[in-house]
Amino acid sequence: MITNASATLYSRIYNADKRMDEWKRTLIEKVWWHESEASSITSEGLKRADTFVIRIPDTTINIKKDDYLVKGICNIGITTAKDLKGTECCKVTSANYNTYGANPHIKVGGV
């Protein structure tokens, strides 16, 4: 699989002892990062949003909906997702594990 970037995954984990969320950071060395602009016309007018498709050739990584992916190496310790402001990042909306065929990978969709 062709790759064009690295990424940092932020996964939310609930800490029952502290009664709060904590964020686990995982570096993913090789990904295919693709960003495009999508738009639609609604009754409220034109809506635009950046959409992301990220393909990860390492299928052992645990990624789920509502995680965050940041393009490149990110060493920010976060307490909320707002701490990622100013980085090129996306919220994971889907993660499909394609473990068959010649190129097994995880296909991640995000906004």
Side-chain angles (χ1 to χ4, degrees), residues 66-82:
D66 295 332
D67 286 348
Y68 283 83
L69 276 169
V70 179
K71 187 174 185 181
I73 299 170
C74 184
N75 293 319
I76 300 172
I78 67 171
T79 54
T80 69
K82 291 180 182 178

Side-chain angles (χ1 to χ4, degrees), residues 25-100:
R25 183 175 55 224
T26 305
L27 175 64
I28 306 168
E29 293 187 15
K30 296 181 180 181
V31 302
W32 173 260
W33 188 281
H34 178 73
E35 178 180 359
S36 62
E37 185 176 303
S39 61
S40 64
I41 299 174
T42 66
S43 61
E44 298 173 2
L46 182 65
K47 300 284 185 177
R48 295 179 188 233
D50 291 334
T51 59
F52 297 86
V53 175
I54 299 121
R55 295 182 190 269
I56 304 168
D58 183 0
T59 59
T60 63
I61 294 172
N62 186 14
I63 188 166
K64 62 190 180 309
K65 188 176 175 181
D66 295 332
D67 286 348
Y68 283 83
L69 276 169
V70 179
K71 187 174 185 181
I73 299 170
C74 184
N75 293 319
I76 300 172
I78 67 171
T79 54
T80 69
K82 291 180 182 178
D83 295 338
L84 295 175
K85 186 175 182 177
T87 64
E88 189 173 353
C89 69
C90 74
K91 182 177 182 177
V92 174
T93 56
S94 65
N96 299 317
Y97 285 77
N98 301 319
T99 56
Y100 51 86

